[in-house]
Amino acid sequence: MRAKTPPENAGAAPSDPTTWVELVWYEKRIERWIRFGTVREERLLDRRRRLVGFRPGDVFAFVRWQANDRGTVASRLDILQAVAPGARCSTVPGVEAGGEPLLRLSGWPTVQRALAAIDAVEQLGIDPTCVAPDHWRQVHNRLSAGAAPEPYSLARHRAWRLRDAVGA
């Protein structure tokens, strides 16, 4: 199910720059959650569903998992950057209107390896939302090819922050 922009009576204007993500929790059936990211707004839809909002430029990880009586049938991890209204973006189920993909992986073993890469960044004391976008792209590329991703380092992070500060 695709997230909808909240109705006007919920306080959202059509020009609202928020990227909305629909989170769902039907335990052991359908689970959609945010692994990391700074939620700027939140709206409760019902006891199992809510919308969370991100501002343009925000980076977040969106996990989608689904199972039936026999086990996992779908698992997906998307690391996206929210875009401004009217900007080009990729569509992602559950994300209105979409985002700039930094990483898009499916299959539980691959998703687990990507989650481990996120854990490794956090173990360095770095917020995954502040990581160089190219790091998430190389994690995507390497895992898609069946290779181990290159680890993120404090030196690489420092270089990224300096480059970002000068607007390169």
Side-chain angles (χ1 to χ4, degrees), residues 19-37:
T19 295
W20 293 100
V21 181
E22 183 180 28
L23 305 182
V24 179
W25 193 267
Y26 290 88
E27 190 158 351
K28 298 182 181 178
R29 286 295 189 189
I30 301 171
E31 300 173 8
R32 295 180 182 174
W33 72 94
I34 298 298
R35 171 57 180 82
F36 68 76

Side-chain angles (χ1 to χ4, degrees), residues 3 17-23 32-41 51-64 76-84 89-105 115 118 122 127-131 133 136:
T18 304
T19 295
W20 293 100
V21 181
E22 183 180 28
L23 305 182
R32 295 180 182 174
W33 72 94
I34 298 298
R35 171 57 180 82
F36 68 76
T38 303
V39 173
R40 308 297 180 153
E41 295 184 54
L51 293 175
V52 294
F54 298 91
R55 296 283 182 240
D58 287 351
V59 175
F60 60 95
F62 181 38
V63 181
R64 294 176 282 149
R76 182 149 194 111
L77 172 64
D78 295 282
I79 297 179
L80 302 165
Q81 186 168 31
V83 297
C89 63
S90 293
T91 58
V92 176
V95 180
E96 182 66 42
E100 174 66 30
L102 303 177
L103 176 147
R104 296 192 76 186
L105 296 169
L115 291 171
I118 294 168
E122 290 175 328
D127 181 348
T129 63
C130 299
V131 166
W136 298 126

